[in-house]
Amino acid sequence: MGRISQFEKFINKKKAGTVKEKYKQDRKAAKKERAAAIDKHFEDKRKQKAEAYELKKAGLTASGSPKVSKEEIRALKGGNAKNPKDAKFKKTAEPVTNNTTKPGKPAGKISISKNTDVKAKAAPAAGNKDVQEEIMGNHAGMPLNKYIAHGGVCSRRDAATLVKEGKVEVNGKVVTEPGYKLGEKDVIKVNGKKVIPTKNLVYILLNKPKDYITTTDDPQGRKTVLQLIRTATEERVYPVGRLDRNTSGVLLLTNDGDLAQTLSHPSHEIKKIYEVTLDKPLTKNDFDSIAAGLTLEDGFIAPDALGYVDPKDKSIIGIEIHSGRNRIVRRIFEHLKYDVKGLDRVMYAGLTKKNVNRGKFRLLNEKEVRTLKHFNRSVKKGQK
């Protein structure tokens, strides 16, 4: 019946009553903890006030040193000392500052709310000549389509298409060869707009909802995924791969052309896991047929893993697949006369939508980016 070990998180789901009770207990424990913390805070405040009062009665400051009169302070600032001991005090006293910043840390403190959409750091200003020359120097000898991808226009594969269609100019002349090697001073334009590669690479994980199309713009005016991440960055990013309008789940957007090429190319066999909701239960015979592999109109296809998400509801299926063919998951089930009512991508290249609500996004951390860039290498090592 296929390997279902990778779908264990969908199997043996806890009953709703159990989940609710655990949630109630967790909330109760959190309330107690918060109340204890508040009590401790006010108790500490009371102790501090009591100590300050005792010190005041004894004529001391909070630090335990003698109180300093206004006349003594004026003497420190260069005023006339009315008291003979001013001179002595001036020699021994140290100026008091109000800076409580710890060594090695900035004076200011910046806090970011968990729910705040954090904007990525802006790229170097396009008007900075030195920065532009440094960027251009680093890209001398680079293939034209790769340069366009680094400019955040599109993926390297789509850039190759733009070049072949004659939409790219180098120094005012149309170039139709994607592998054309660039010179240090070359000026590249796509559809009449100058392209400057950015060093500020951005990686965004979006939990895509239904009814949004996976394109950068749509002539028909339909909603696009870029509308959902417009507060994420000022950089121009684009989706890696595609999800149908009626498919939800994990979608990666970036301006890293090299990574987009790696993840999108079929030879790298990037793994994806989908949760499929069918119009009727999947029979054992059809389950076995899919697990063994089917021959569709564009060739043979077999999933890497297949399993029932909920043993009590056999209309919900988990399927792991690495093929990047168009609408492949839907076509597998439609081939056996099933109607796909819902399709949700729960994992892509090791990334999941955990803690990311539908329609929301987050920026990948450095560890996740490193893992993505070496993802296909680790997969191939494990297959050997």
Side-chain angles (χ1 to χ4, degrees):
M1 291 182 64
R3 295 184 292 110
I4 62 172
S5 60
Q6 299 188 45
F7 298 98
E8 287 177 357
K9 66 179 179 180
F10 300 117
I11 303 170
N12 299 326
K13 285 188 177 178
K14 292 182 180 178
K15 292 183 179 179
T18 306
V19 174
K20 286 181 180 179
E21 182 61 28
K22 184 178 183 305
Y23 176 70
K24 284 172 63 178
Q25 294 300 327
D26 289 345
R27 285 194 63 183
K28 192 179 290 184
K31 274 188 176 180
K32 284 184 179 179
E33 187 177 340
R34 189 163 58 250
I38 292 171
D39 290 342
K40 185 177 183 304
H41 171 76
F42 284 109
E43 182 63 28
D44 291 343
K45 284 275 189 183
R46 281 191 290 270
K47 286 181 180 179
Q48 288 175 6
K49 286 183 178 179
E51 289 174 0
Y53 178 74
E54 292 298 328
L55 289 170
K56 186 176 181 181
K57 282 176 64 177
L60 301 173
T61 63
S63 62
S65 59
K67 292 173 70 175
V68 183
S69 67
K70 292 181 180 179
E71 289 79 8
E72 290 170 335
I73 293 174
R74 280 197 295 269
L76 283 173
K77 293 181 178 179
N80 295 323
K82 295 182 180 179
N83 197 315
K85 69 178 181 180
D86 285 348
K88 182 180 178 181
F89 180 79
K90 193 171 182 179
K91 290 180 183 178
T92 58
E94 295 181 359
V96 180
T97 65
N98 195 31
N99 184 8
T100 58
T101 306
K102 294 181 180 180
K105 290 190 177 181
K109 183 179 179 184
I110 301 172
S111 61
I112 300 176
S113 171
K114 289 182 180 178
N115 296 324
T116 302
D117 289 332
V118 184
K119 286 194 176 183
K121 185 180 178 183
N128 189 325
K129 186 177 179 182
D130 294 336
V131 171
Q132 286 191 38
E133 287 179 355
E134 180 187 348
I135 291 173
M136 291 301 296
N138 290 339
H139 290 81
M142 179 180 288
L144 180 57
N145 63 323
K146 184 175 181 179
Y147 180 95
I148 295 170
H150 276 239
V153 177
C154 57
S155 67
R156 203 190 303 182
R157 187 188 299 181
D158 290 340
T161 303
L162 288 174
V163 175
K164 291 176 182 177
E165 291 175 349
K167 296 180 180 179
V168 179
E169 294 179 2
V170 178
N171 300 325
K173 295 180 180 179
V174 175
V175 175
T176 56
E177 177 54 51
Y180 176 85
K181 301 295 183 183
L182 296 175
E184 185 176 344
K185 302 294 182 180
D186 286 347
V187 177
I188 294 84
K189 292 184 178 181
V190 176
N191 291 324
K193 293 183 179 179
K194 187 176 179 181
V195 179
I196 299 177
T198 176
K199 287 186 175 182
N200 183 37
L201 299 178
V202 183
Y203 309 88
I204 302 168
L205 186 151
L206 170 69
N207 186 354
K208 177 189 172 297
K210 288 183 179 180
D211 296 326
Y212 282 81
I213 60 173
T214 314
T215 56
T216 53
D217 55 65
D218 181 55
Q220 300 178 34
R222 294 173 295 181
K223 295 181 290 186
T224 73
V225 291
L226 293 187
Q227 294 171 346
L228 297 171
I229 55 99
R230 61 181 177 271
T231 60
T233 178
E234 294 175 357
E235 302 293 340
R236 182 175 180 179
V237 297
Y238 46 87
V240 178
R242 292 180 182 274
L243 285 179
D244 293 341
R245 182 178 180 181
N246 292 323
T247 301
S248 58
V250 180
L251 180 66
L252 180 66
L253 299 100
T254 183
N255 57 353
D256 187 338
D258 288 337
L259 180 63
Q261 173 76 3
T262 299
L263 296 177
S264 301
H265 201 280
S267 65
H268 293 105
E269 300 185 347
I270 300 302
K271 302 284 186 181
K272 292 151 280 198
I273 296 179
Y274 293 86
E275 183 179 297
V276 189
T277 303
L278 304 175
D279 62 330
K280 56 187 176 183
L282 183 68
T283 66
K284 183 181 182 303
N285 287 339
D286 289 339
F287 184 104
D288 292 340
S289 297
I290 295 172
L294 301 172
T295 302
L296 306 179
E297 61 271 18
D298 55 352
F300 181 80
I301 184 68
D304 301 309
L306 189 70
Y308 291 110
V309 172
D310 185 353
K312 295 181 180 179
D313 185 358
K314 296 190 175 182
S315 65
I316 304 176
I317 314 298
I319 182 170
E320 178 181 312
I321 202 162
H322 66 261
S323 172
R325 284 191 251 169
N326 188 38
R327 300 182 72 253
I328 188 63
V329 176
R330 290 182 182 274
R331 289 193 290 123
I332 286 173
F333 292 95
E334 289 170 358
H335 181 77
L336 296 172
K337 309 303 181 185
Y338 290 89
D339 186 12
V340 177
K341 294 294 186 182
L343 186 59
D344 187 50
R345 186 158 73 183
V346 297
M347 190 275 283
Y348 176 77
L351 297 171
T352 69
K353 56 183 182 176
K354 183 180 179 182
N355 299 327
V356 183
N357 295 329
R358 190 64 49 85
K360 301 297 182 181
F361 64 87
R362 68 174 178 83
L363 301 180
L364 298 190
N365 57 45
E366 290 182 11
K367 183 179 178 181
E368 289 172 322
V369 174
R370 285 197 302 270
T371 302
L372 275 181
K373 290 187 175 182
H374 296 87
F375 188 78
N376 65 304
R377 294 182 194 175
S378 59
V379 168
K380 289 181 178 179
K381 284 180 181 178
Q383 291 174 345
K384 288 181 181 178

